[in-house]
Amino acid sequence: MKRNGHRHWNSPGGWIGLLMMLLLSCSGGEQRNDRPLLASNWGGTAGGPIDGRLEVQVFDDMTGDPFPNVLVSLGDSGRITTRTDNQGIAVFTGVIGPQDVHVYFCGGCDADAANPVIPVFYRIGSYYQVNASQVSIPIIPGSRSFTEAALQGKVFDVERNESVFVSALDELGVFEVLGPLGSTTYHWVTAESQLLNDPDPPPIDLTFVFTRDLDEWAAADPDGGRQGFNQVALIGKAINVSKQPQAGVRVGARYFGGNDAGRPYYFDEAGRIDPSLEATTADGRFLFLRLSSNNDVFVSARQIGVGVGARYIHLPAAGTTVFTLPVLPIIEQAVDLSGRVVVYRPDFQEEERKGFLSSENVGVEGVLINFSGDPVSEIVVTDSGAEIGGNYRSVRHLLPNSRYIAVVLAGRTFRQTYQELQFNNRSKTNYPLAVVPLGDLVAMVRAAKEDDTSGLEAGTAEILARIVAPTGQIDPNGDPILAPIPNVEIAVVDASGDEILTRAYFDDQGEVDPDRQQTGAKGAFLAFGLTPGVYTVIATDPITNETIDRKSLLVYANGVHLVELVQASGEIVLGAVRDPEGNPITPPQLSLIGGNPDCSQLGEGCSLPAAGEYFVRMEQRTGGGDYSVPVSGSKRALGLSTFRLSPDGTLNNVAFAAGLGPLAVGGRLTFDIGFTPSVSLVETTGLITLPPGFSHSDIEAVLIGAAAPRGEAFIGADIIGFFPGKVGPGFRALSLPPEGALSYFVTATARNGGGASSLIQVQGLPGIPIRQDLTLPDPPRLLSPVPPAPEEEAVVSENTPHLVWAAPDAGPVDLYRVTLETEEGEQLWEAWVPGSRTEITFPAFPEEAPEQLDPFVDGRPIIWRVHAIQAGGLSFQEFTFRQLAQRRVSNASAVSRFTIKREP
């Protein structure tokens, strides 16, 4: 499957290799099942047949601690129940075997508003037809859809043209693979880098920055530290009025909250970073490293007589942002700004031009105004009193030739409001600002929803947009006077390219009209219910389908964002993609934030309307970079492995670390990793025999692993088979020999197009094998309930579904593991079944069990899987999971689905 653009797998066995880190304690010989009720044996069955007394122990798989007061039920009636005592043991008397044992546990199902707890454990666990008087059931950390933790960090020492994959292996044998990691650059393209009214503007080349470039630039200043995980970079070019690089410009940067964004670096004339430089050279470029991602930053140049100007830039979640900073040799250092904060109406700016005494706008007294990048100490307060209510002024503080975001901080009767201000080279300017009273905003949203009872959702935001065009007249600021454009289509698109449907236009009178499909005379538009994130507002001519203007902006929770789209003529033509040295490179994958480019193919030669602001995203899956591997639940220890590939796809290096952790539920464990140069890799070859219904292209992984005193990790892989699939039965894996390994193991997995999977794991090898043939097991066949056809659904109406499957054709099965989960991957039920049985019936839900645990909710689609496990003849009536971890284990599974639909 795909995740975040990377190739991604998880081991189909799920639990296979359960507690492999215990191999170090097992190296002296196989552990015997002497004390099965101790959690140190990790659960299982023992004690001989049930003859009047059954003990069921429930414990925390992570800590070994017993779980008291857990509901345990026998049989299928749901009426034979008891609870565990302080030792986590439930006792049933007067019973004989075999029995079906069901444990109902939910960490957090009893949470309330005063004591919120997130459920993080498997919900229901069952042992079917168990005939052992002592049963010990571990509660294993639950699925990632509940509370997902992450092993994260950065991979260093990867060249521009090399690719790298990352794998994480937990103590349960579950592994994830991400990759190839890569580099991402966002180039902010506007017409500001072109001469005004140029009839034949030159193409704007795009700059692509590799992760390796950032690492080398950071290394030029060792005192500053590395460019670490989740840190981004910003490259700017100062340009003068002739649109040429401007030397002698000093820049600074602040986050929107006023915090300093760190020191700038400057490029020398040869295009290299020189930490000793204090201003731009003839190259014109500057660099900020180690920036906090997913933020807005304000970049300013203040060299009077050389270059003055400022812009605010959004920093995405990853990668490097490239932009142009126009500067002018202005003598005036700062701007005197004044204006009035008024109640929002679509034409509030036109009204203010009449003068506040003539305007119908209502001033808002005593509100706080903050400008992008200003600390709290610079907040401006509006006046109170007759004829001056809502007036504000900022004296000699803001820069000319700059763009700011003015934030009217939230008040008792209005949301926090964001509005862009753009200054020219004048020393004095006037700008009206607006706030939207909560009552007015609720009325707008209710009108858009056509629902008089709804309100604003907590944590969401709104965009109030207007499309306007210059009238040819100039206001006292020297800015063009603008007039709204009717009959225009406006769309709001999120970062994934999906259009927001919670929107509406204003009619000719300035009221929300849910039936209108284009702008009215006011040119206004509303989008609401927006979750925080980056959105692109696009205005389009419905007749020509051409873009009139577009803006991308970061939307904050519980705020109103006022956006003005301005029609303009001309075009932007994209040029070649170049590296930071200016050399043309093979174009990476290009896309446009917000989508909808006006050209058929985004890239060199693409023409875009000059009115827009465009964030061109470029991605190249080479050069290393950040990784984040999802981890379900808590983990005692994790192994991290990285595989580095040459441009021809040959594995050239491996790096790994074992015993990372522990990692708490929902936590983050950060670990950076790099490669040792000039390593010698050991080769393992073999043949893979597949079960019926599988082809060699279905093979997902052949991995070599090592168990060490601190845990285990993969030390090698068959790259050709791993990425992206084999074409023949043979494999060739390369491994980096570790120091101090206790034993080795080989894992191979495959998954076919029907969802069936197969895994083989050979454990306890004394060294890295030179030759290892592998036979993947045959999956079971699911019989009922299954859809009658791929496009149809299987329907179950009873409260106690009955599942039936057929045993694999090849070889006996020692154990079956049956799981139920939601479409989102939330674990609902886990059942262990003897290998002699091929059907189970789910029990009636006990009245005492938490109702949140009941998986059979009307209308719910359920995914069910059956895993057939071969473990060398291990008996379900006398085993521990510790023993299971030591056996040569194979696991093959099949998957199907059904939907719960009650009879009317």
Side-chain angles (χ1 to χ4, degrees):
M1 62 183 134
K2 295 282 186 178
R3 176 177 290 221
N4 297 332
H6 307 308
R7 185 127 186 204
H8 163 91
W9 293 288
N10 66 307
S11 57
W15 64 275
I16 282 294
L18 183 67
L19 304 172
M20 287 172 51
M21 65 177 293
L22 294 175
L23 289 175
L24 64 97
S25 64
C26 304
S27 58
E30 183 172 301
Q31 297 292 306
R32 296 185 57 82
N33 187 6
D34 295 325
R35 302 178 69 188
L37 286 181
L38 289 180
S40 60
N41 274 314
W42 308 107
T45 60
I50 303 171
D51 189 14
R53 180 181 175 88
L54 170 62
E55 295 180 356
V56 179
Q57 182 193 46
V58 183
F59 66 93
D60 185 334
D61 174 70
M62 297 306 304
T63 65
D65 296 335
F67 275 125
N69 200 37
V70 173
L71 184 69
V72 181
S73 174
L74 294 187
D76 58 8
S77 69
R79 297 189 180 93
I80 305 175
T81 63
T82 189
R83 290 186 177 271
T84 57
D85 59 18
N86 290 335
Q87 299 301 311
I89 297 175
V91 177
F92 294 89
T93 58
V95 295
I96 58 174
Q99 291 286 338
D100 296 345
V101 182
H102 311 288
V103 174
Y104 298 81
F105 180 90
C106 182
C109 281
D110 56 350
D112 55 37
N115 181 33
V117 179
I118 299 175
V120 295
F121 299 107
Y122 278 148
R123 301 224 166 170
I124 307 173
S126 298
Y127 284 9
Y128 274 86
Q129 290 300 288
V130 61
N131 195 13
S133 60
Q134 298 172 327
V135 175
S136 186
I137 300 180
I139 299 298
I140 300 174
S143 68
R144 69 169 52 93
S145 63
F146 253 167
T147 305
E148 188 177 88
L151 174 62
Q152 62 190 23
K154 186 172 180 181
V155 181
F156 292 93
D157 307 320
V158 183
E159 297 297 331
R160 279 182 173 184
N161 59 356
E162 291 181 320
S163 56
V164 65
F165 292 79
V166 175
S167 177
L169 173 69
D170 71 9
E171 74 276 13
L172 304 177
V174 177
F175 64 89
E176 302 277 350
V177 179
L178 294 178
L181 305 184
S183 309
T184 304
T185 301
Y186 296 82
H187 198 130
W188 187 42
V189 178
T190 72
E192 287 188 322
S193 58
Q194 298 179 160
L195 287 172
L196 186 64
N197 298 323
D198 189 341
D200 187 21
I204 298 176
D205 288 341
L206 303 175
T207 299
F208 184 80
V209 181
F210 292 88
T211 302
R212 179 74 178 194
D213 297 326
L214 300 178
D215 296 341
E216 292 176 352
W217 292 336
D221 179 21
D223 294 338
R226 284 179 157 184
Q227 178 80 0
F229 170 76
N230 205 32
Q231 292 181 330
V232 297
L234 179 65
I235 294 179
K237 177 187 281 188
I239 60 173
N240 56 31
V241 68
S242 299
K243 310 304 179 183
Q244 298 301 310
Q246 178 63 52
V249 175
R250 295 186 179 187
V251 297
R254 301 191 303 271
Y255 295 107
F256 265 31
N259 297 328
D260 185 73
R263 64 156 292 183
Y265 300 92
Y266 299 95
F267 290 79
D268 63 18
E269 285 83 353
R272 298 183 297 261
I273 286 294
D274 183 349
S276 66
L277 293 174
E278 296 183 353
T280 59
T281 66
D283 179 275
R285 288 182 299 166
F286 54 89
L287 167 72
F288 289 90
L289 291 170
R290 312 174 191 95
L291 298 173
S292 178
S293 63
N294 208 27
N295 266 299
D296 280 347
V297 68
F298 181 74
V299 182
S300 59
R302 296 173 179 263
Q303 288 299 101
I304 298 177
V306 177
V308 177
R311 295 294 182 271
Y312 62 91
I313 302 294
H314 175 65
L315 301 177
T320 303
T321 299
V322 180
F323 80 110
T324 300
L325 177 61
V327 295
L328 296 176
I330 298 173
I331 302 302
E332 294 287 346
Q333 182 177 5
V335 173
D336 285 343
L337 173 68
S338 61
R340 193 164 68 129
V341 178
V342 299
V343 172
Y344 176 81
R345 48 187 288 172
D347 58 354
F348 76 92
Q349 291 179 334
E350 289 91 327
E351 279 295 308
E352 284 300 285
R353 289 195 182 93
K354 299 176 181 178
F356 69 90
L357 293 178
S358 302
S359 169
E360 295 184 19
N361 288 331
V362 177
V364 185
E365 301 179 348
V367 301
L368 307 179
I369 307 171
N370 179 259
F371 299 98
S372 47
D374 277 354
V376 174
S377 59
E378 300 287 351
I379 285 178
V380 174
V381 183
T382 62
D383 294 334
S384 299
E387 297 188 351
I388 62 170
N391 290 357
Y392 75 90
R393 66 198 58 81
S394 172
V395 180
R396 314 296 294 168
H397 172 57
L398 304 177
L399 294 176
N401 184 40
S402 300
R403 290 183 182 178
Y404 288 84
I405 291 289
V407 185
V408 181
L409 302 182
R412 187 173 295 179
T413 60
F414 55 86
R415 292 250 220 191
Q416 193 149 294
T417 307
Y418 302 81
Q419 181 179 341
E420 180 183 281
L421 305 184
Q422 182 169 345
F423 302 139
N424 53 27
N425 58 358
R426 292 173 63 91
S427 60
K428 295 184 179 181
T429 191
N430 178 281
Y431 254 113
L433 303 176
V435 296
V436 187
L438 286 174
D440 293 353
L441 191 58
V442 169
M444 293 179 192
V445 172
R446 286 180 174 178
K449 291 182 176 181
E450 298 183 277
D451 178 2
D452 290 338
T453 62
S454 62
L456 304 178
E457 297 181 19
T460 63
E462 299 78 38
I463 291 177
L464 281 166
R466 239 185 26 137
I467 176 67
V468 295
T471 63
Q473 298 176 304
I474 302 297
D475 71 5
N477 289 336
D479 294 326
I481 295 176
L482 306 172
I485 306 176
N487 305 319
V488 170
E489 294 178 353
I490 300 179
V492 177
V493 181
D494 66 17
S496 300
D498 296 326
E499 186 171 346
I500 301 303
L501 301 179
T502 50
R503 58 191 179 32
Y505 292 91
F506 288 73
D507 63 18
D508 294 344
Q509 287 71 46
E511 302 293 332
V512 170
D513 181 355
D515 297 323
R516 195 176 186 92
Q517 300 302 311
Q518 296 176 357
T519 55
K522 306 294 184 181
F525 174 91
L526 166 70
F528 58 92
L530 305 176
T531 57
V534 176
Y535 293 86
T536 301
V537 186
I538 307 170
T540 306
D541 186 322
I543 298 176
T544 64
N545 203 33
E546 292 182 353
T547 299
I548 298 175
D549 193 12
R550 61 185 289 153
K551 288 181 182 291
S552 294
L553 66 152
L554 179 63
V555 168
Y556 298 94
N558 303 313
V560 181
H561 300 254
L562 306 183
V563 178
E564 196 163 67
L565 306 176
V566 183
Q567 186 180 40
S569 59
E571 64 180 18
I572 297 170
V573 179
L574 298 183
V577 180
R578 301 180 182 273
D579 66 14
E581 291 79 38
N583 304 310
I585 62 173
T586 301
Q589 180 180 349
L590 272 65
S591 60
L592 202 59
I593 298 298
N596 300 328
D598 283 42
C599 50
S600 59
Q601 182 67 40
L602 190 66
E604 187 171 6
C606 173
S607 295
L608 302 170
E613 299 175 353
Y614 305 90
F615 276 93
V616 181
R617 176 170 50 203
M618 297 174 281
E619 296 180 287
Q620 183 88 304
R621 290 296 152 208
T622 58
D626 292 355
Y627 73 90
S628 182
V629 183
V631 178
S632 59
S634 300
K635 300 298 174 187
R636 302 180 188 87
L638 289 159
L640 174 69
S641 304
T642 54
F643 307 96
R644 196 179 73 187
L645 281 65
S646 300
D648 62 0
T650 303
L651 178 65
N652 65 46
N653 210 328
V654 181
F656 48 83
L660 302 177
L663 177 59
V665 171
R668 296 291 182 268
L669 176 61
T670 301
F671 185 83
D672 295 338
I673 193 167
F675 294 92
T676 302
S678 304
V679 297
S680 297
L681 303 180
V682 176
E683 180 181 85
T684 300
T685 60
L687 295 175
I688 300 176
T689 302
L690 292 169
F694 286 77
S695 66
H696 290 101
S697 62
D698 294 328
I699 296 175
E700 292 185 329
V702 179
L703 293 162
I704 312 295
R710 292 189 60 192
E712 71 286 338
F714 293 125
I715 61 171
D718 175 8
I719 295 302
I720 296 176
F722 206 175
F723 325 105
K726 297 191 67 60
V727 295
F731 74 89
R732 176 179 177 266
L734 296 176
S735 304
L736 179 63
E739 295 182 2
L742 300 174
S743 63
Y744 297 83
F745 56 95
V746 180
T747 298
T749 67
R751 189 190 312 270
N752 67 20
S757 62
S758 182
L759 179 147
I760 180 72
Q761 193 163 60
V762 182
Q763 303 177 24
L765 301 174
I768 299 175
I770 303 302
R771 174 78 184 190
Q772 185 68 58
D773 294 335
L774 302 168
T775 300
L776 272 67
D778 185 27
R781 288 178 292 112
L782 306 188
L783 301 180
S784 178
V786 295
E791 67 277 4
E792 299 180 21
E793 66 176 356
V795 176
V796 173
S797 59
E798 59 267 22
N799 294 326
T800 57
H802 184 67
L803 306 185
V804 183
W805 62 93
D809 295 332
V813 175
D814 297 317
L815 304 168
Y816 288 106
R817 176 175 177 254
V818 182
T819 63
L820 303 183
E821 61 186 46
T822 66
E823 291 181 309
E824 295 75 29
E826 177 186 340
Q827 188 84 34
L828 298 174
W829 205 309
E830 178 186 49
W832 291 85
V833 184
S836 59
R837 290 185 59 88
T838 56
E839 60 182 302
I840 60 174
T841 299
F842 288 94
F845 196 74
E847 292 183 0
E848 301 173 64
E851 63 180 15
Q852 299 96 318
L853 293 180
D854 189 353
F856 305 124
V857 177
D858 192 28
R860 169 183 274 176
I862 292 179
I863 309 298
W864 67 290
R865 286 182 173 86
V866 176
H867 299 260
I869 301 163
Q870 297 173 344
L874 195 65
S875 171
F876 182 59
Q877 311 304 341
E878 184 79 21
F879 87 103
T880 68
F881 286 111
R882 178 188 282 259
Q883 291 173 322
L884 189 60
Q886 301 167 37
R887 301 293 183 96
R888 176 182 174 126
V889 174
S890 68
N891 172 23
S893 68
V895 60
S896 188
R897 58 185 294 146
F898 60 88
T899 302
I900 301 296
K901 289 189 177 180
R902 307 287 186 226
E903 295 292 344

